[in-house]
Amino acid sequence: MATSDLSLSSEEDSAVEAQLSPCQSKAAKVVERPLPPSSLPTLRWHDICSDYYNGYCRNGDECPRDHSICHIQVVASSEDGTPHLSTELNVLSLEPRFPLEGGPFDNEGPAHLAWLGPRHNNDHAEIRFIRILPTTDEILCQRPPYMPFKDSSTGTHHQSGMARMLDVQFRHFRYDTFESVIDACYHASQQLQMAFRQPPPLDYDSRHRTARGTQYSLFHDVRLEDVRFEQGTQLRLSFACPARIRQRGMGSSGHFESGMLMALVGLNSEHTLFTSFCKIEMRQSTSSMKPITGNHLRASVVASFADPSDTDTMRQALYALKQPDRNEKFVIVEFPKVLVAGFYWILKHLQFLSISKNTTAFSDIIAPPDPQTELLIPPPTYSGVEKSTFDLSILQDACHRDNCSTLKAEPHFLNAGLTEQKALVEDICSTTTLDPGQATALCENLSRGLAFTQGPPGTGKTFLGVSLAKVILQHMPKKPILVACMTNHALDNFLGDLLAQGISKVARLGSGSKEDWTGKHTLASLRKNFKNTCAEATKLSKAYQRVKALSDEGTRCCESLNSRVLTWAAVRDHLKWHYRSAFHDFLKCLSPTEQQIEDIRKKRSAAGGFAFEYWCTGGDLADMERFSREIDTYFGMTMPDSSSSGDTSESEDLSPEFSIHQLGIPVILPQGDFEGDAWELPMDVREAWIARWKSELGIANSTDKLAEVQRRYIAAREMKQDIHSDVDARYLADQEVIGMTTTGCAKYWSMLKTLNLQTLICEEAGEIMEAQTISTLLPSIGHAIFIGDPLQLRPQVNQPCLSLETSGGSKYRLDESLFERMVMPQGQDVQALPASKLSLQRRMHPDVADLMRATLYPFLLDHPSTSRLPVAGMAHRTFWLDHQEPEDDPDPFAVGGRSYSNRFECAMICELVRYLINTNDFDSGDIAILVPYSRQLGCLKERLTRTGTCSISLSDKDKEDLANMGLLDDNEQQKFRSDVEVLPMVRLVTIDSFQGEEAKVIILSTVRSNLQDRVGFLQTTNRINVACSRARNGFYIIGNSSLLRTVDIRAFDPVSMVRHIAVTDAVLRFVAYRVVNYLARSHAPFFYLAPMCALGCAASGVPPVGKVLELSESGKITDLKGSMAETCTNLPQCPQCGAPCDDVRRYRHLRQFRVASNTIDRLYNMFGRKMKTFAEKIQGASKELDIGFKLFCKHVEPGPLAGRTNTALVKARMLYIMPTQTMITRFREEVVEGVEKDVAHTVMLLGDTYLAAAPMLPFKCRFDLLYFHCRLTMLREATRISRFLDQSDYSQYTGRIAAKLRTRTIDEAKENVRAITLLIEQCRQYNLKRLEAEAMLVHICYVKLLHDLGIEPEPMGNDACRWLLQVEALILKYPDTAGLLRSSYDSVKSYWESSKTTAADLWTVETRKFWKQWGGLSQVAQSVGG
């Protein structure tokens, strides 16, 4: 192999040398770190107990085979048959990655088929050998990857057919997923190399961008805090936290979300690099890490290995983290929203299919061996089975079913000539709710084994799918239907429609649903309704035992890695192999006559573990009384009394590290073999042997042992999952519909195969990649129905070079769905298949639908229901507001720099939305603003929010994009939540996130306006199609029409638009004045107020809206006119025809305004009942803590081994009231704050006249005080526990628990004192006298708590004395409200003035009576300061 392509030139050497640290020489190249061989002994497969290999041996000590944790010879020599690639190591350069001018790919072939040979150690010819996650050598590779063309006519190392298709899809999908990951890791490695020369500052910026525009986050100074074994090996890694995400900033920053991919990259002074990819499990903020670090500078993340079966990567990471040299540096690379589950199961499934035969349905059609062969679609495999006809009566309406009018279809009629089929379609249309297009598609789908249906926007694709499911279930009642969708949202919508149609036996697999109703349709819920057979229960029990045994073994290995001292888990096998006499000495630790610990024989390894720890601390086997007591405590068999606390000291302090080593006495390692009885050795000899064993083992042995346990644990877990799959398959076979995403199909493939499913319905098939669609084609499927529209949004790809929308990507076409390739093929590898077409749309007004008819859907028809009233306030239903204002210049260095915005269009849209809302004929929820770019989304969000135009709803995906771009701060991410708002909101959304949605009025911003004629995203026909087909009543475009003329679609040609409005003086006045009345008087050319009659009666002159609703120039309602000014709530009638105005929104709202006071009153009553409930919960929890404190004291254990038990007891006490606190916080944030904001907005809109009767009570203050009550209860409990632990003097460990509790109590009490001071000021502002008095009493209790802990805050103490006097004054002045606190005041005053630590009683009889009154709020509201 030529080395010039894989190494640095002399010029590059000089550049690199100038930037490297002094310790790095010119000859040193950063390469992939080699993996040393395992230190474990190797045994043959047949010598290992097969039961114990999977984690559990039922024969125990009588088993003749070996139970050691070791390498197995067969597995070690040929684990997966992966061929070895002889390549030169790639090296890291400080130059950018290989340039893209020559193209991002080459097509020479993979591995040794390439002219220069394999590119890296993961460049295999067969995809089954390719590691899913990139290797370090692959990241460092500077040669373009091999990427085959999609068309089978182009030659590759595979012939045409399924093997070639799987190879192409795997390589394309993997590159699309990992190219940005590899790019980010390469750039991060360069940053890590630069860090040797100049370490990053403490407050560094974690956001980075590569030369190719890849955005990622880089976190420095990574350290391993501990290793844990929970569902496999996990690492807790701490890192230097940037200032912007410290403390609470981490929670809402979007960083380190569970399930996402991250990379751990390490570089040492030997210039070797390693990369380990992990899946994020949990994050810990700097506040959570403060008890460990003592500051707010470090945060941590708990991560598991992304590929848990790759134990070599795990060993590599642990070697580096547990044995770093002085110059080793680690960084964490976080990728923006790369979900592990989103790629792992799809790629695994493609690898599985590549080595399996006949595992994909219709493989001869979707990947024909000979593309020139004529394709014939077979009928469904079940069409001639069980029943000879399809019973369509299930689709008939009630009247036809009552008349016994049956509707049946013979299979040969479904696929017959036009005459027979036309008659059948007419019968279906006359007796069902299906239209002709849907009826025709129904017949064609039932007659084709592989069926495709194209449904233009609004034509009822989901309704057709539900109808097909009902007919097929009627025909094949004992076979479930598999329903697959790309997204959880689409799946939930389809399954919800099935449930609404009476199909109740639905199973919903997967955990991504946000709908509450799916909870009772999950696998976990189904298991509750079925009982396992005895055989199943036995298999599951054994499987769980295996997994549990290996999980315990893994936990012990992790403890040995985390511990600074030698543990039994680390030394056990070493003693068994090399020091058998010592090994048996520890296992025979108990006399057979000791009956009280007879169960220990069943746990000999654990008993040996305790004996070893007891031996290390100098314990004597002859001291049986103490030994029995300690081993009882170790196994939790008894609760020792406190009298034994003086007999032992902390085990950590008695370990060798804290005895001879602390005294400075050198340890001489013993020579020779271990002789004599271990229990008779003196302490210095024991420590010498311990030191020898530690030196012999090292970290490598514990790491290798953990890796082997991990491998066995994964095998045992997969065995358990296989048994679960068999059991679950029996549950699922009883269902009618099984729904899951395409990723779920890949994950549950083996279980689905056992069900022998025959029918597949795939919704929104035009948005699904082929790699994902393949996972739905089970080998048993004989009827596959794909419903979608390839003319709408295509599958989303990350790399434009693979997209058919680019010139280079047209050879690869990753974003071409199977639907599009089979129905509208662009290549020569497949013939076009017939597809059904739906033709009757029920969404768009005919004027809006004309845009679609003139371009993509000339066959589209309109349902009569689409003829709706004009858009209120607008002269035309569609128009294009043309302008020539240039787009904003993007910042190329900013996050999201490639996204665009246009502030002129933002201003126009903001005022148009304000005008539409002020006409009072549209709810905010009736309006949607579509934009093609996230930066425009951010600009509109900022302007609409700043000007107070309306409330905004953002989709989850758009919120994530805005957060990644820095356009949505931490507080706003929680603010824009649709489920906590009371008033409807304007939907602000990107086009790509709005497919399948609709709105009455759509406003589209095209954004782009430049002299270079760069159209951007809107040059894609599919995206234009989605944007132009969402509006029900009105569609309005704001953009540069001359630029959009270059798009190859007539939908954006202004000539084809119904109206084309330029920016005139009237429009500019509209922007300047924002006055509805002005527009009505000025007769602006495209605005007018709609008639008020629901029947469409036209009023002459200015419409009579002014007779009912009068607006000021700012858009505020100033007066109500006409009949609505009276107290009656009846809707008015049209003065011309007398028709009631039920459908005119302005009149409905006026009636609601009249009863707004009662509505708000009911809301506040509900708040009052909630407050009463929460107050009772706090009071009850406080009493239960008092009652249970004595029992807690009895359960606190003495001894050095009771640390975990005591910690758990303290933690349980401290979390006792946490559920109540969480409920209070969530209700306040998600409900109370939103309601108060919306009420304030309504008051601003209507004025105080119509809401004078409503009690305007700021409930947020009240819920804040309830929160401080919760925390006061917990801090009192923490203080009581710390005093008890200090006084008991059980051990030094319990003393540390007490000290930690005391420190955290003081810190939080100080913070709460400052927060309550602000709350008191708010109470005074709102004139809440009783609440002010209660807040002062709570404040005094906090200050007294600090005083009892030895903190003397002089200003706080003075405030407490002063506030006692103020509370007494309020009680005297307001006896009906603050006067109810008289008993509480006396208790708090006595508590403050006494030296006792007994807490004051804030829940007196009078106070409890007051809180109970919140059930009837009106009584309280009438009192002053309620």
Side-chain angles (χ1 to χ4, degrees), residues 380-413:
T381 56
Y382 58 76
S383 60
V385 182
E386 296 186 10
K387 294 182 180 180
S388 59
T389 60
F390 286 99
D391 186 0
L392 306 183
S393 60
I394 189 69
L395 304 177
Q396 292 179 312
D397 50 34
C399 64
H400 287 90
R401 285 200 299 267
D402 294 341
N403 295 331
C404 299
S405 174
T406 59
L407 181 63
K408 295 186 178 181
E410 301 289 341
H412 63 276
F413 277 120

Short mmCIF file of all heavy atoms in Angstrom, two decimals, residues 380-413:
data_model
loop_
_atom_site.label_atom_id
_atom_site.label_comp_id
_atom_site.label_asym_id
_atom_site.label_seq_id
_atom_site.Cartn_x
_atom_site.Cartn_y
_atom_site.Cartn_z
N PRO A 380 -53.08 -11.51 -2.91
CA PRO A 380 -52.75 -11.85 -1.52
C PRO A 380 -52.78 -13.36 -1.31
O PRO A 380 -53.62 -14.07 -1.87
CB PRO A 380 -53.84 -11.15 -0.71
CG PRO A 380 -54.31 -10.05 -1.59
CD PRO A 380 -54.19 -10.56 -2.99
N THR A 381 -51.84 -13.86 -0.53
CA THR A 381 -51.73 -15.30 -0.34
C THR A 381 -52.93 -15.91 0.36
O THR A 381 -53.16 -17.10 0.25
CB THR A 381 -50.46 -15.62 0.47
OG1 THR A 381 -50.51 -14.89 1.71
CG2 THR A 381 -49.22 -15.21 -0.30
N TYR A 382 -53.72 -15.10 1.05
CA TYR A 382 -54.86 -15.66 1.77
C TYR A 382 -56.17 -15.49 1.02
O TYR A 382 -57.23 -15.81 1.55
CB TYR A 382 -54.99 -14.99 3.15
CG TYR A 382 -55.15 -13.49 3.11
CD1 TYR A 382 -56.35 -12.89 2.76
CD2 TYR A 382 -54.08 -12.66 3.41
CE1 TYR A 382 -56.48 -11.51 2.72
CE2 TYR A 382 -54.20 -11.28 3.37
CZ TYR A 382 -55.41 -10.72 3.03
OH TYR A 382 -55.54 -9.36 3.00
N SER A 383 -56.15 -14.91 -0.18
CA SER A 383 -57.41 -14.58 -0.86
C SER A 383 -58.24 -15.82 -1.17
O SER A 383 -59.46 -15.75 -1.24
CB SER A 383 -57.12 -13.83 -2.16
OG SER A 383 -56.32 -14.63 -3.03
N GLY A 384 -57.58 -16.96 -1.36
CA GLY A 384 -58.34 -18.17 -1.64
C GLY A 384 -58.43 -19.09 -0.45
O GLY A 384 -58.80 -20.27 -0.61
N VAL A 385 -58.09 -18.60 0.73
CA VAL A 385 -58.07 -19.43 1.92
C VAL A 385 -59.22 -19.05 2.84
O VAL A 385 -59.57 -17.87 2.97
CB VAL A 385 -56.72 -19.27 2.66
CG1 VAL A 385 -56.66 -20.17 3.87
CG2 VAL A 385 -55.57 -19.61 1.71
N GLU A 386 -59.79 -20.02 3.49
CA GLU A 386 -60.81 -19.89 4.52
C GLU A 386 -62.14 -19.37 3.97
O GLU A 386 -63.18 -19.95 4.20
CB GLU A 386 -60.32 -18.96 5.65
CG GLU A 386 -59.13 -19.52 6.39
CD GLU A 386 -58.76 -18.66 7.58
OE1 GLU A 386 -59.54 -17.76 7.92
OE2 GLU A 386 -57.70 -18.90 8.17
N LYS A 387 -62.14 -18.28 3.27
CA LYS A 387 -63.37 -17.71 2.73
C LYS A 387 -63.15 -17.32 1.27
O LYS A 387 -62.07 -16.86 0.90
CB LYS A 387 -63.82 -16.49 3.54
CG LYS A 387 -64.22 -16.83 4.96
CD LYS A 387 -64.71 -15.59 5.69
CE LYS A 387 -65.12 -15.93 7.13
NZ LYS A 387 -65.59 -14.73 7.85
N SER A 388 -64.15 -17.49 0.48
CA SER A 388 -64.00 -17.22 -0.95
C SER A 388 -64.35 -15.80 -1.31
O SER A 388 -64.10 -15.38 -2.44
CB SER A 388 -64.88 -18.19 -1.75
OG SER A 388 -66.25 -18.03 -1.38
N THR A 389 -64.94 -15.04 -0.42
CA THR A 389 -65.34 -13.67 -0.72
C THR A 389 -64.94 -12.74 0.41
O THR A 389 -64.75 -13.15 1.56
CB THR A 389 -66.87 -13.57 -0.91
OG1 THR A 389 -67.52 -13.99 0.30
CG2 THR A 389 -67.32 -14.45 -2.07
N PHE A 390 -64.81 -11.47 0.05
CA PHE A 390 -64.58 -10.43 1.05
C PHE A 390 -65.93 -9.85 1.45
O PHE A 390 -66.69 -9.40 0.60
CB PHE A 390 -63.69 -9.32 0.50
CG PHE A 390 -62.25 -9.69 0.36
CD1 PHE A 390 -61.73 -10.08 -0.86
CD2 PHE A 390 -61.41 -9.66 1.46
CE1 PHE A 390 -60.40 -10.42 -1.00
CE2 PHE A 390 -60.06 -10.00 1.34
CZ PHE A 390 -59.56 -10.39 0.11
N ASP A 391 -66.21 -9.85 2.75
CA ASP A 391 -67.46 -9.30 3.26
C ASP A 391 -67.24 -7.81 3.53
O ASP A 391 -66.54 -7.44 4.48
CB ASP A 391 -67.87 -10.04 4.53
CG ASP A 391 -69.24 -9.59 5.03
OD1 ASP A 391 -69.85 -8.72 4.38
OD2 ASP A 391 -69.68 -10.10 6.07
N LEU A 392 -67.84 -6.96 2.70
CA LEU A 392 -67.68 -5.52 2.84
C LEU A 392 -68.79 -4.87 3.65
O LEU A 392 -68.85 -3.65 3.76
CB LEU A 392 -67.63 -4.87 1.45
CG LEU A 392 -66.59 -5.41 0.47
CD1 LEU A 392 -66.63 -4.62 -0.83
CD2 LEU A 392 -65.20 -5.37 1.06
N SER A 393 -69.70 -5.69 4.19
CA SER A 393 -70.81 -5.12 4.96
C SER A 393 -70.33 -4.42 6.22
O SER A 393 -71.06 -3.60 6.79
CB SER A 393 -71.81 -6.22 5.32
OG SER A 393 -71.18 -7.23 6.11
N ILE A 394 -69.12 -4.75 6.66
CA ILE A 394 -68.57 -4.08 7.84
C ILE A 394 -68.40 -2.59 7.60
O ILE A 394 -68.37 -1.78 8.55
CB ILE A 394 -67.23 -4.73 8.23
CG1 ILE A 394 -66.75 -4.22 9.59
CG2 ILE A 394 -66.18 -4.44 7.17
CD1 ILE A 394 -67.56 -4.69 10.74
N LEU A 395 -68.34 -2.18 6.32
CA LEU A 395 -68.16 -0.77 5.97
C LEU A 395 -69.48 -0.03 5.78
O LEU A 395 -69.48 1.19 5.65
CB LEU A 395 -67.33 -0.64 4.68
CG LEU A 395 -65.95 -1.30 4.68
CD1 LEU A 395 -65.30 -1.13 3.31
CD2 LEU A 395 -65.08 -0.72 5.77
N GLN A 396 -70.58 -0.77 5.75
CA GLN A 396 -71.86 -0.13 5.48
C GLN A 396 -72.34 0.67 6.68
O GLN A 396 -72.02 0.36 7.84
CB GLN A 396 -72.91 -1.19 5.11
CG GLN A 396 -72.65 -1.86 3.77
CD GLN A 396 -73.69 -2.92 3.46
OE1 GLN A 396 -74.00 -3.76 4.30
NE2 GLN A 396 -74.24 -2.87 2.25
N ASP A 397 -73.15 1.69 6.39
CA ASP A 397 -73.71 2.47 7.48
C ASP A 397 -74.83 1.67 8.14
O ASP A 397 -75.25 0.60 7.68
CB ASP A 397 -74.21 3.83 6.99
CG ASP A 397 -75.11 3.71 5.77
OD1 ASP A 397 -75.84 2.72 5.68
OD2 ASP A 397 -75.05 4.60 4.90
N ALA A 398 -75.36 2.20 9.24
CA ALA A 398 -76.31 1.45 10.07
C ALA A 398 -77.58 1.11 9.32
O ALA A 398 -78.12 0.00 9.46
CB ALA A 398 -76.62 2.24 11.34
N CYS A 399 -78.10 2.00 8.51
CA CYS A 399 -79.38 1.76 7.85
C CYS A 399 -79.29 0.59 6.87
O CYS A 399 -80.20 -0.23 6.76
CB CYS A 399 -79.87 3.02 7.15
SG CYS A 399 -78.81 3.56 5.78
N HIS A 400 -78.17 0.48 6.16
CA HIS A 400 -78.03 -0.62 5.22
C HIS A 400 -77.81 -1.94 5.94
O HIS A 400 -78.28 -3.00 5.50
CB HIS A 400 -76.87 -0.35 4.26
CG HIS A 400 -77.18 0.71 3.24
ND1 HIS A 400 -76.92 2.04 3.46
CD2 HIS A 400 -77.75 0.64 2.01
CE1 HIS A 400 -77.28 2.75 2.40
NE2 HIS A 400 -77.80 1.93 1.50
N ARG A 401 -77.11 -1.90 7.06
CA ARG A 401 -76.94 -3.15 7.81
C ARG A 401 -78.25 -3.60 8.43
O ARG A 401 -78.55 -4.79 8.50
CB ARG A 401 -75.87 -2.97 8.89
CG ARG A 401 -74.46 -2.94 8.35
CD ARG A 401 -73.46 -3.24 9.44
NE ARG A 401 -73.52 -2.25 10.52
CZ ARG A 401 -72.76 -1.16 10.56
NH1 ARG A 401 -71.89 -0.93 9.59
NH2 ARG A 401 -72.86 -0.32 11.55
N ASP A 402 -79.06 -2.65 8.88
CA ASP A 402 -80.36 -3.01 9.46
C ASP A 402 -81.29 -3.60 8.41
O ASP A 402 -82.16 -4.43 8.73
CB ASP A 402 -81.00 -1.77 10.10
CG ASP A 402 -80.21 -1.29 11.31
OD1 ASP A 402 -79.42 -2.09 11.84
OD2 ASP A 402 -80.38 -0.12 11.70
N ASN A 403 -81.15 -3.20 7.16
CA ASN A 403 -81.99 -3.72 6.08
C ASN A 403 -81.45 -5.03 5.51
O ASN A 403 -81.93 -5.51 4.47
CB ASN A 403 -82.10 -2.70 4.95
CG ASN A 403 -82.82 -1.44 5.40
OD1 ASN A 403 -83.66 -1.49 6.30
ND2 ASN A 403 -82.48 -0.31 4.79
N CYS A 404 -80.45 -5.61 6.22
CA CYS A 404 -79.86 -6.88 5.80
C CYS A 404 -79.32 -6.81 4.38
O CYS A 404 -79.37 -7.77 3.61
CB CYS A 404 -80.89 -8.02 5.90
SG CYS A 404 -81.50 -8.29 7.58
N SER A 405 -78.84 -5.63 4.02
CA SER A 405 -78.26 -5.46 2.69
C SER A 405 -76.78 -5.80 2.76
O SER A 405 -75.96 -5.02 3.24
CB SER A 405 -78.45 -4.00 2.22
OG SER A 405 -77.78 -3.79 1.01
N THR A 406 -76.46 -7.01 2.34
CA THR A 406 -75.07 -7.46 2.41
C THR A 406 -74.30 -6.98 1.20
O THR A 406 -74.83 -6.84 0.10
CB THR A 406 -75.00 -8.99 2.49
OG1 THR A 406 -75.63 -9.53 1.32
CG2 THR A 406 -75.71 -9.49 3.74
N LEU A 407 -73.03 -6.74 1.42
CA LEU A 407 -72.15 -6.27 0.35
C LEU A 407 -70.92 -7.16 0.36
O LEU A 407 -70.12 -7.11 1.30
CB LEU A 407 -71.76 -4.80 0.56
CG LEU A 407 -70.86 -4.18 -0.51
CD1 LEU A 407 -71.57 -4.15 -1.86
CD2 LEU A 407 -70.45 -2.77 -0.10
N LYS A 408 -70.82 -8.01 -0.66
CA LYS A 408 -69.71 -8.93 -0.74
C LYS A 408 -69.01 -8.77 -2.08
O LYS A 408 -69.61 -8.40 -3.07
CB LYS A 408 -70.18 -10.37 -0.56
CG LYS A 408 -70.75 -10.65 0.83
CD LYS A 408 -71.07 -12.11 1.02
CE LYS A 408 -71.59 -12.37 2.43
NZ LYS A 408 -71.89 -13.80 2.65
N ALA A 409 -67.71 -9.07 -2.07
CA ALA A 409 -66.91 -8.92 -3.28
C ALA A 409 -66.17 -10.22 -3.54
O ALA A 409 -65.43 -10.71 -2.68
CB ALA A 409 -65.92 -7.77 -3.13
N GLU A 410 -66.42 -10.79 -4.70
CA GLU A 410 -65.69 -11.97 -5.12
C GLU A 410 -64.27 -11.55 -5.52
O GLU A 410 -64.07 -10.48 -6.11
CB GLU A 410 -66.38 -12.63 -6.31
CG GLU A 410 -67.81 -13.05 -6.05
CD GLU A 410 -67.88 -14.25 -5.12
OE1 GLU A 410 -66.86 -14.94 -4.98
OE2 GLU A 410 -68.96 -14.48 -4.52
N PRO A 411 -63.27 -12.37 -5.20
CA PRO A 411 -61.89 -12.00 -5.55
C PRO A 411 -61.70 -11.72 -7.03
O PRO A 411 -60.97 -10.79 -7.40
CB PRO A 411 -61.08 -13.22 -5.10
CG PRO A 411 -61.90 -13.83 -4.02
CD PRO A 411 -63.33 -13.61 -4.41
N HIS A 412 -62.40 -12.47 -7.92
CA HIS A 412 -62.19 -12.24 -9.35
C HIS A 412 -62.86 -10.95 -9.82
O HIS A 412 -62.47 -10.37 -10.82
CB HIS A 412 -62.72 -13.43 -10.17
CG HIS A 412 -64.20 -13.64 -10.03
ND1 HIS A 412 -64.75 -14.35 -8.97
CD2 HIS A 412 -65.24 -13.24 -10.80
CE1 HIS A 412 -66.06 -14.39 -9.10
NE2 HIS A 412 -66.39 -13.72 -10.21
N PHE A 413 -63.87 -10.47 -9.06
CA PHE A 413 -64.48 -9.19 -9.41
C PHE A 413 -63.55 -8.02 -9.05
O PHE A 413 -63.57 -6.97 -9.69
CB PHE A 413 -65.81 -9.02 -8.71
CG PHE A 413 -66.96 -9.68 -9.43
CD1 PHE A 413 -67.69 -10.67 -8.81
CD2 PHE A 413 -67.28 -9.32 -10.73
CE1 PHE A 413 -68.74 -11.28 -9.46
CE2 PHE A 413 -68.33 -9.94 -11.38
CZ PHE A 413 -69.07 -10.94 -10.75
#
